[in-house]
Amino acid sequence: MEEDEIMHQDIIPLYAADIQDQLKKQFAYLSGGRGGDGCPVITFPDYPAFSEIPEKEFQNVLTYLTSIPSLRDAGIGFILVIDRRQDKWTSVKASILRIAASFPGNLQLVLVLRPTGFFHRALSDIAFRFNRDELKMKVPIIMLGSVSELQGYIDKTQLTEDLGGTLDYCHNRWLSRRTAIEGFAQKVKQTAQILQSFGTELAETELPNDVQSTSSLLATHTEKKDKMKEDIRVAVEQGDDILGSITKPVTENPEYKLNQDQLDNQTTVERLLAQLHETETAFDEFWIKHQQKLEQCLRLRNFEQDFREVKAALDIVSERLSAFTDVGNSRSHVEHILKDLANFEEKSHETVAKARMLASERDAFIQSNHYAVDSIIPKCSELHHLCDAFTTETERRRNLLNKSLELHDLLEKSMKWCDEGIYLLASQPVDKCQSQDGAESALQEIEKFLDTGAGNKIKELNKIYREYAHILNEDLKDHVQKVFQKQESMEEMFQKRQVSLKKLAAKQTRPVQPVAPRPEAFVKSPCTSPGLQRENVSNSESSALRRVNYRKAKSDVTELHQSRGGSTMDDEENLAVLRQHVMNELIETERAYVEELLCVLEGYAAEMDNPLMAHLISPELQNKKDILFGNMEEIYHFHNRIFLRELETYIEYPELVGRCFLDQMEDFQIYEKYCQNKPRSESLWRQFSDSVFFQECQRKLDHKLSLDSYLLKPVQRITKYQLLLKEMLKYSKNCEGAEDLQEALTSILGILKAVNDSMHQIAITGYDGNLNELGKLLMQGSFNVWTDHKKGHTKVKDLARFKPMQRHLFLHEKAVLFCKKREENGEGYEKAPSYSYKHSLNMAAVGITENVKGDAKKFEIWYNAREEVYIIQAPTPEVKATWVNEIRKVLTSQLQACREASQHRTLEQTQSLPLPLPASSCASPSRNHIRNTKKMEEKKADLPSVEGCGTTAAPKYPEKGKGWAKPSQSLDASEENDGWSSAEEPLNSSDAEEEGGGGGEMKLTPGKYTVVTDYDKGVSEEFTVKSGDLVQLIREGEDGLWFVKNLSSGREGWIPANNLLMLIGNSKSAQSLSSSESGTASSNLSTSSSCSDSCNVSSTSFSDIKG
């Protein structure tokens, strides 16, 4: 029902809920009864307080009641039934007048039930007659005496029971129903307005540009739509309930007849329900369109997002595919690349499949009449194109690699055939070939072997170039040429052997006595050793020169061999074959080593940074890649980019490969860092060897061995080189490159020694200083050590002669460290010993006595002019000789540094005299010394210098346990009882260390000296000296004072010894040569330097150098 059908007044409509309390008073009500012509009946029941009703309430009730009937019924007019049977005439009059004045509708008839009392009835009749004009209304007023008279005007069925009728009316029920109907009408109106507003909002919403916003908008709109639908459902249920309550009497009693008001209510509710259903239907139709648009938008945004992701993934895999440009340098390398390509293709399959699936959605978009199909089709076409291009390129790369594999198969077959041929020639015994039968047998072997070449050798080089032109790069082309040249050389050797054997197979006039080759047959190459030209010739020029010399030497040797006979030639061929075998093994194992390193770096190290594998790595293992793998990546790059390529350039000249090692020797130092990290790596591996991550990596790589086996490869490889070099040297003693091979072998062994020494050095504990400040570690080893300190305790001095200390010595360029070896419990590297630092000696104050009477394995290290003497017993005389030689080199280099510093000071201070040179210092240096002259000059800054004496502070060394020891060492009393184990013999070993006092200063001797700095602080105030004065040291007094005379001024006075050292500096008399202290069989070399805390002076003394 429209609102104007319910509220037809021009004023603000009233609702039963608004005047519910006023309606409950029931001073007037609309029973639903009708007059004869269908006029609505409003009943004013007997209400004693009628006159007390406020005017506002009275107006509201009458206005509301007259608004309920339909416009048609209300237009006919209302019949008012005023029941005043229990009232007085005066009240009747007042009620009629009030109703007549306030009634808002049309009136057709007013029926008044007058008072029933005799007096009041008579009075009302009389009064009504006299007051008819006063009560005159627009409609007639009829005074009725009884309800029977009332029924004459209104049918009994249209009157309520209190008026003698049969109309079923309950005021509370009427009020409740009116409230429900009006509330339902309001609900329908609000729902329609909300739906309209929501529809406008949906229509005006702009579609988002991303998936998340679109999905969020669809969810929000759907949620609002569901709420709207729920409100509609509740409203429909409310209308159905109202309609059911109206029709309930008919449902219960089919004969029941609804009155007109009930019928009007039914019609109103039905119309409201119909309106609600129409609104819901319209909204549903609109929502379906809006939802479809949002869903299409969401689908489009998902497609666009997937397109961006898939295209980016395709770009990445295409870029990675473009990196597969290498066609391989060997069969194993190509197989490895093919395997990588297969793995890459497998990993990329998901990306390509996702792209194709996304591209296939084009048809679905078209079939669904998507609004953005014009922008979707080009993207799908682009995806199809990218997938096809990737597949085509992958197949092309695979075909190239298969071609490369085919070529390498052919080359390897040819090389293997050549090696077998050379081995056949080398294995044919010379003496047996001298006979006719032996020569014929050898010829048959050769012919039989040559027959196998049909399927193994390269027939036409140009055909190979044409067939494999698309994969032949410069390196591979050179390799093909070298293999073909090797094949031609081998065939030429066979032809020569066949010619020789055919001559021997012919009938001979007399037997030939076989003669074994003599050593003289092997002639050394007349060419100059390349080692002497190393300073002036670059690496590339030197290599080219050596190869030219090698060919010339080989030609000369061949001519000489031919003149000496076939026997020598065959022996040389045998050595060449053996050298080639060693070279092949070196290169093949190097290639395998490089591939293994790459496999570990890609299959394990790189996977530790792979986000897809992160969930398999325990938190404790994260960020530990550098510890586990050390500098393996640096080692790989060196071998892959430099060393392997250099090795391959010597494949035809194996005897010259020593030069390759020498050129790259400095780069091999990287193994020292790897080996030093190995204990930490080993310990970390033992903690996480059962990790699922490592097991998964091993499974992907299809490795039979676990990672720790591959982490050991660098250690195994660096030790393998010296074995291969020894083998090569054994077969190249008379070749041009023998000298380089020997030097390379020595250098590799030196690196292994340095690596081994560094592994011991990092195990030193208790040294608080920086070991790097001590210079390069030169030697390390275990010795028996006795001490003999002049100022030590008598008991300790006596015991020292009989009870040696077990000490591990570390010889550095600037100091020698004494440590105690302690075995550790554990497994693997953790079982390695540690070294507890005890004390150290500054090499600037150390001297040696090379021979000790009674034992060829002993030598002495003495300190501070023999105030402290350490008798060292080596395990063997050879170890002793090595240590003595190394210490001599250190002291000699210090001597040279001091001499140069002194000469420099002489130029600056003309008063000072030059430092005398020992006779033996002019001995010619060794070859290695000449080669490393520049390196020694660069390190001079690290050696003790005399230049700063008296003017600059000398180095200060930390106390025991914190760095270098002071010149004297105290006895570690606890060392005697710190735990002799069952492995030690108390009677033969002692850890007692002397307690000494000496200061470690140079002893002053009487003589004349030149002053190098001014001084005015003598004991005698009048005694002063100036720079350049000549002074004489007369005698030493007490408390470290010397009596000195200034020969320039003639004055005398006492000067502290420490200050005196600063005054005379490097004056001539401060240096002296001392005689041997061990007899004629001993020789001493000393470079002593002491640093006083008060004057920072250093001095140098050298004893005789013998041997």
Side-chain angles (χ1 to χ4, degrees):
M1 176 183 287
E2 296 295 332
E3 184 64 20
D4 58 350
E5 291 182 271
I6 301 174
M7 308 288 183
H8 53 270
Q9 303 294 330
D10 295 332
I11 60 175
I12 298 175
L14 290 175
Y15 298 99
D18 298 334
I19 58 173
Q20 187 172 5
D21 293 338
Q22 301 169 24
L23 292 173
K24 284 183 178 180
K25 293 180 180 181
Q26 201 175 348
F27 60 82
Y29 62 86
L30 188 66
S31 64
R34 291 289 190 271
D37 51 1
C39 298
V41 177
I42 295 179
T43 304
F44 289 87
D46 188 17
Y47 190 78
F50 186 81
S51 61
E52 298 175 3
I53 299 173
E55 186 64 25
K56 181 66 175 177
E57 293 183 8
F58 188 77
Q59 288 286 346
N60 287 340
V61 171
L62 291 184
T63 301
Y64 177 72
L65 293 178
T66 57
S67 67
I68 293 175
S70 65
L71 290 176
R72 183 182 61 79
D73 293 343
I76 298 174
F78 290 90
I79 296 178
L80 301 184
V81 177
I82 302 174
D83 185 5
R84 290 294 180 265
R85 287 175 293 175
Q86 303 298 328
D87 208 346
K88 299 178 180 179
W89 165 246
T90 55
S91 297
V92 173
K93 177 182 177 183
S95 297
I96 293 174
L97 291 175
R98 187 174 187 182
I99 293 172
S102 302
F103 194 80
N106 296 327
L107 288 175
Q108 190 180 53
L109 181 65
V110 178
L111 300 176
V112 181
L113 288 175
R114 60 188 176 186
T116 56
F118 176 79
F119 174 75
H120 288 286
R121 183 173 57 182
L123 181 62
S124 62
D125 288 338
I126 297 172
F128 183 72
R129 291 190 188 100
F130 288 101
N131 294 289
R132 183 179 299 272
D133 295 333
E134 185 180 354
L135 297 177
K136 186 177 182 180
M137 301 177 71
K138 296 179 182 179
V139 295
I141 300 176
I142 300 175
M143 302 294 291
L144 302 176
S146 64
V147 292
S148 57
E149 293 179 7
L150 178 62
Q151 292 173 2
Y153 293 91
I154 302 173
D155 191 83
K156 184 178 180 180
T157 58
Q158 301 301 316
L159 295 175
T160 58
E161 292 180 358
D162 58 337
L163 295 178
T166 60
L167 180 64
D168 182 21
Y169 174 78
C170 175
H171 188 69
N172 290 333
R173 182 178 62 193
W174 175 87
L175 180 61
S176 175
R177 185 169 295 169
R178 288 303 307 171
T179 303
I181 292 173
E182 291 171 359
F184 178 58
Q186 288 290 329
K187 182 71 173 178
V188 171
K189 180 180 179 181
Q190 292 175 359
T191 301
Q193 292 175 346
I194 293 174
L195 288 177
Q196 184 178 3
S197 175
F198 183 50
T200 303
E201 177 187 348
L202 297 183
E204 295 176 353
T205 301
E206 293 185 2
L207 298 179
N209 293 323
D210 60 277
V211 173
Q212 184 176 358
S213 299
T214 306
S215 179
S216 176
L217 180 64
L218 178 60
T220 302
H221 285 188
T222 303
E223 182 179 357
K224 288 184 177 181
K225 184 267 299 184
D226 292 339
K227 186 176 184 302
M228 296 292 176
K229 294 288 289 183
E230 178 65 19
D231 291 343
I232 293 174
R233 186 190 65 79
V234 172
V236 170
E237 288 183 356
Q238 181 181 353
D240 291 338
D241 291 341
I242 295 173
L243 185 61
S245 66
I246 295 174
T247 59
K248 182 178 179 181
V250 178
T251 305
E252 294 177 351
N253 184 11
E255 296 180 357
Y256 183 85
K257 300 295 182 180
L258 295 176
N259 60 44
Q260 190 60 44
D261 281 354
Q262 290 175 331
L263 291 174
D264 290 343
N265 289 340
Q266 180 180 356
T267 303
T268 300
V269 174
E270 288 176 348
R271 288 180 179 179
L272 288 173
L273 285 173
Q275 180 183 347
L276 192 59
H277 285 303
E278 291 175 0
T279 304
E280 181 181 15
T281 302
F283 175 76
D284 287 343
E285 292 176 355
F286 174 79
W287 170 253
I288 290 174
K289 295 179 181 179
H290 180 74
Q291 183 182 29
Q292 181 181 9
K293 189 174 182 180
L294 280 180
E295 288 176 348
Q296 286 185 346
C297 178
L298 180 61
R299 187 178 178 186
L300 175 62
R301 300 300 178 243
N302 279 314
F303 173 81
E304 292 173 343
Q305 179 174 309
D306 292 342
F307 173 78
R308 289 191 295 269
E309 294 175 355
V310 168
K311 188 175 183 302
L314 283 176
D315 291 341
I316 292 174
V317 297
S318 298
E319 183 179 355
R320 291 179 179 174
L321 179 62
S322 64
F324 282 87
T325 57
D326 196 353
V327 293
N329 52 25
S330 65
R331 175 183 174 82
S332 58
H333 190 196
V334 177
E335 289 177 343
H336 182 74
I337 297 175
L338 276 170
K339 184 178 180 181
D340 287 346
L341 181 62
N343 291 335
F344 168 74
E345 189 176 8
E346 181 180 354
K347 293 178 181 178
S348 305
H349 175 73
E350 182 179 353
T351 300
V352 176
K354 186 176 181 181
R356 292 193 182 278
M357 183 178 297
L358 187 62
S360 65
E361 293 182 6
R362 177 181 63 179
D363 296 337
F365 279 108
I366 296 174
Q367 292 175 2
S368 62
N369 295 321
H370 197 282
Y371 67 88
V373 68
D374 292 339
S375 66
I376 294 173
I377 292 177
K379 290 183 173 62
C380 293
S381 301
E382 183 179 358
L383 289 179
H384 277 301
H385 174 71
L386 290 175
C387 292
D388 294 341
F390 176 80
T391 304
T392 303
E393 182 63 17
T394 304
E395 190 62 29
R396 189 183 73 84
R397 301 279 182 181
R398 185 184 296 105
N399 292 336
L400 287 177
L401 289 172
N402 287 330
K403 266 294 184 183
S404 178
L405 186 65
E406 181 181 317
L407 177 59
H408 282 291
D409 281 340
L410 180 60
L411 295 177
E412 288 188 3
K413 285 181 180 179
S414 178
M415 292 179 67
K416 183 178 180 182
W417 185 66
C418 292
D419 290 340
E420 291 174 353
I422 295 173
Y423 181 78
L424 174 62
L425 293 178
S427 62
Q428 288 182 340
V430 178
D431 52 350
K432 293 183 180 180
C433 292
Q434 302 299 325
S435 64
Q436 182 176 0
D437 293 339
E440 291 178 352
S441 176
L443 272 174
Q444 292 177 0
E445 289 181 350
I446 291 175
E447 291 173 355
K448 182 178 179 181
F449 174 78
L450 291 176
D451 291 340
T452 63
N456 294 318
K457 69 178 183 178
I458 301 175
K459 297 180 178 61
E460 296 181 24
L461 189 60
N462 291 331
K463 183 179 179 181
I464 295 295
Y465 287 163
R466 289 193 302 271
E467 185 175 354
Y468 300 98
H470 49 293
I471 64 169
L472 281 177
N473 51 36
E474 291 298 325
D475 293 338
L476 192 53
K477 193 172 183 179
D478 290 343
H479 184 44
V480 172
Q481 289 176 349
K482 290 177 181 179
V483 173
F484 188 72
Q485 290 172 2
K486 181 177 181 179
Q487 179 181 298
E488 287 183 329
S489 299
M490 190 273 296
E491 289 177 335
E492 184 180 354
M493 293 170 62
F494 267 82
Q495 291 173 1
K496 292 179 180 179
R497 180 64 64 87
Q498 282 179 311
V499 172
S500 300
L501 291 175
K502 286 179 180 178
K503 293 179 181 179
L504 293 173
K507 292 184 179 181
Q508 302 177 6
T509 57
R510 59 185 179 86
V512 179
Q513 180 67 31
V515 179
R518 295 180 297 169
E520 299 88 61
F522 300 97
V523 181
K524 291 186 177 180
S525 171
C527 301
T528 304
S529 172
L532 301 178
Q533 304 174 359
R534 194 167 299 130
E535 297 293 336
N536 301 321
V537 184
S538 65
N539 290 342
S540 59
E541 293 174 349
S542 177
S543 299
L545 180 60
R546 283 177 175 77
R547 293 174 186 174
V548 172
N549 291 340
Y550 168 74
R551 297 189 185 98
K552 182 177 181 299
K554 186 174 182 181
S555 175
D556 294 341
V557 172
T558 302
E559 293 176 2
L560 181 58
H561 287 175
Q562 290 175 351
S563 65
R564 295 287 182 99
S567 175
T568 303
M569 179 185 68
D570 291 337
D571 286 345
E572 179 59 30
E573 288 178 353
N574 291 344
L575 290 175
V577 171
L578 294 172
R579 287 195 297 271
Q580 192 63 49
H581 275 294
V582 176
M583 191 65 188
N584 290 341
E585 181 182 358
L586 175 60
I587 292 180
E588 289 303 319
T589 54
E590 184 72 14
R591 288 171 178 165
Y593 174 55
V594 170
E595 290 177 6
E596 287 173 340
L597 291 182
L598 178 62
C599 195
V600 172
L601 292 173
E602 290 184 345
Y604 286 97
E607 289 298 304
M608 292 187 74
D609 298 327
N610 185 356
L612 300 178
M613 299 285 285
H615 65 286
L616 300 179
I617 305 176
S618 59
E620 296 81 6
L621 185 59
Q622 292 179 353
N623 302 322
K624 298 289 181 64
K625 183 173 71 172
D626 291 340
I627 296 177
L628 186 61
F629 298 96
N631 62 330
M632 180 181 283
E633 185 174 358
E634 183 183 9
I635 293 174
Y636 165 73
H637 288 313
F638 161 63
H639 284 271
N640 183 52
R641 297 174 181 174
I642 301 175
F643 190 61
L644 176 58
R645 297 181 182 181
E646 288 296 319
L647 275 181
E648 290 173 340
T649 62
Y650 288 86
I651 190 169
E652 296 298 327
Y653 311 99
E655 64 276 6
L656 302 180
V657 76
R659 179 72 260 157
C660 179
F661 279 89
L662 291 176
D663 289 342
Q664 311 300 331
M665 195 55 65
E666 290 187 4
D667 291 323
F668 280 103
Q669 303 293 336
I670 58 179
Y671 278 91
E672 184 172 342
K673 180 179 178 182
Y674 185 84
C675 293
Q676 287 179 351
N677 180 69
K678 197 67 176 70
R680 299 174 65 202
S681 174
E682 184 80 6
S683 177
L684 185 65
W685 166 254
R686 279 196 301 275
Q687 295 179 41
F688 300 100
S689 57
D690 296 333
S691 172
V692 179
F693 169 75
F694 293 126
Q695 295 175 3
E696 178 64 16
C697 291
Q698 183 177 349
R699 184 192 65 78
K700 288 183 177 180
L701 294 172
D702 196 22
H703 280 179
K704 295 181 180 179
L705 300 177
S706 54
L707 174 61
D708 58 327
S709 301
Y710 291 91
L711 293 177
L712 196 60
K713 293 290 183 181
V715 181
Q716 295 171 337
R717 187 60 184 172
I718 191 64
T719 57
K720 177 73 173 177
Y721 288 128
Q722 54 101 6
L723 299 177
L724 293 171
L725 286 172
K726 285 179 181 178
E727 285 292 307
M728 185 66 77
L729 183 61
K730 183 168 68 174
Y731 305 133
S732 308
K733 291 183 178 179
N734 298 314
C735 297
E736 176 193 5
E739 198 172 332
D740 283 342
L741 284 170
Q742 180 61 56
E743 187 177 351
L745 175 60
T746 303
S747 300
I748 284 291
L749 291 175
I751 287 178
L752 292 176
K753 176 184 175 299
V755 170
N756 182 58
D757 290 347
S758 68
M759 296 295 289
H760 288 274
Q761 182 181 6
I762 63 176
I764 296 177
T765 60
Y767 185 84
D768 291 340
N770 187 354
L771 290 173
N772 294 328
E773 295 178 356
L774 305 184
K776 182 181 178 182
L777 176 62
L778 304 174
M779 304 282 288
Q780 57 84 25
S782 295
F783 300 89
N784 290 329
V785 179
W786 290 265
T787 59
D788 186 6
H789 298 178
K790 288 183 178 181
K791 295 185 180 181
H793 193 275
T794 304
K795 182 177 179 181
V796 175
K797 180 177 179 182
D798 294 338
L799 288 174
R801 291 294 182 184
F802 302 101
K803 296 182 180 179
M805 295 180 291
Q806 301 296 324
R807 289 291 180 263
H808 201 92
L809 272 60
F810 293 87
L811 177 62
H812 293 260
E813 291 175 327
K814 297 183 181 180
V816 57
L817 273 62
F818 290 76
C819 301
K820 182 178 180 181
K821 185 177 181 180
R822 301 184 187 277
E823 296 290 345
E824 300 290 345
N825 296 324
E827 298 180 358
Y829 284 96
E830 291 184 356
K831 196 175 182 181
S834 64
Y835 302 97
S836 177
Y837 169 78
K838 295 303 176 185
H839 68 281
S840 58
L841 303 177
N842 185 359
M843 289 302 294
V846 163
I848 62 169
T849 302
E850 297 186 15
N851 298 309
V852 177
K853 292 181 180 180
D855 194 338
K857 296 184 292 184
K858 289 183 179 179
F859 64 97
E860 289 183 350
I861 297 179
W862 44 271
Y863 191 74
N864 195 26
R866 299 188 67 83
E867 287 189 0
E868 300 177 19
V869 179
Y870 299 87
I871 302 172
I872 313 296
Q873 184 184 47
T876 63
E878 292 76 14
V879 174
K880 168 202 163 181
T882 304
W883 273 74
V884 168
N885 290 336
E886 199 64 38
I887 294 175
R888 185 191 296 115
K889 291 178 183 177
V890 174
L891 299 181
T892 303
S893 64
Q894 290 182 353
L895 170 62
Q896 180 69 19
C898 290
R899 183 192 302 121
E900 293 176 358
S902 178
Q903 292 173 353
H904 181 70
R905 282 180 56 84
T906 302
L907 295 176
E908 296 179 350
Q909 302 177 358
T910 57
Q911 295 87 348
S912 300
L913 297 177
L915 181 69
L917 301 177
S920 61
S921 66
C922 298
S924 60
S926 64
R927 181 185 180 198
N928 288 336
H929 182 68
I930 293 175
R931 178 170 297 168
N932 297 322
T933 298
K934 293 183 178 180
K935 293 183 180 179
M936 290 181 61
E937 290 176 356
E938 293 173 357
K939 295 180 180 179
K940 285 176 183 177
D942 296 334
L943 298 175
S945 174
V946 191
E947 181 179 354
C949 295
T951 59
T952 59
K956 295 182 180 180
Y957 307 113
E959 298 177 358
K960 178 179 178 180
K962 298 182 180 179
W964 292 355
K966 290 184 178 180
S968 63
Q969 301 295 329
S970 61
L971 173 64
D972 187 357
S974 63
E975 187 72 8
E976 292 185 13
N977 300 318
D978 68 346
W980 281 335
S981 66
S982 59
E984 299 178 359
E985 298 181 9
L987 296 178
N988 298 327
S989 177
S990 172
D991 285 339
E993 298 177 359
E994 290 191 2
E995 202 171 54
E1001 301 171 355
M1002 183 191 71
K1003 287 191 174 183
L1004 296 171
T1005 58
K1008 296 180 180 180
Y1009 298 83
T1010 300
V1011 177
V1012 298
T1013 184
D1014 294 343
Y1015 181 78
D1016 58 357
K1017 298 179 181 179
V1019 175
S1020 301
E1021 295 181 0
E1022 67 278 2
F1023 182 77
T1024 60
V1025 293
K1026 296 182 179 180
S1027 176
D1029 289 348
L1030 184 65
V1031 297
Q1032 181 178 3
L1033 274 62
I1034 299 176
R1035 67 180 181 277
E1036 183 179 8
E1038 297 180 354
D1039 299 328
L1041 298 176
W1042 274 81
F1043 188 73
V1044 181
K1045 181 177 181 179
N1046 188 339
L1047 299 179
S1048 300
S1049 64
R1051 294 185 179 182
E1052 299 176 344
W1054 293 92
I1055 299 179
N1058 290 340
N1059 295 350
L1060 191 57
L1061 286 171
M1062 180 177 66
L1063 289 176
I1064 62 178
N1066 293 321
S1067 184
K1068 178 178 179 181
S1069 298
Q1071 281 109 31
S1072 62
L1073 297 176
S1074 62
S1075 61
S1076 172
E1077 299 186 24
S1078 302
T1080 58
S1082 66
S1083 61
N1084 303 332
L1085 174 61
S1086 164
T1087 303
S1088 61
S1089 175
S1090 64
C1091 301
S1092 173
D1093 292 337
S1094 61
C1095 60
N1096 294 335
V1097 179
S1098 50
S1099 60
T1100 308
S1101 64
F1102 305 96
S1103 59
D1104 297 335
I1105 304 175
K1106 299 179 181 179

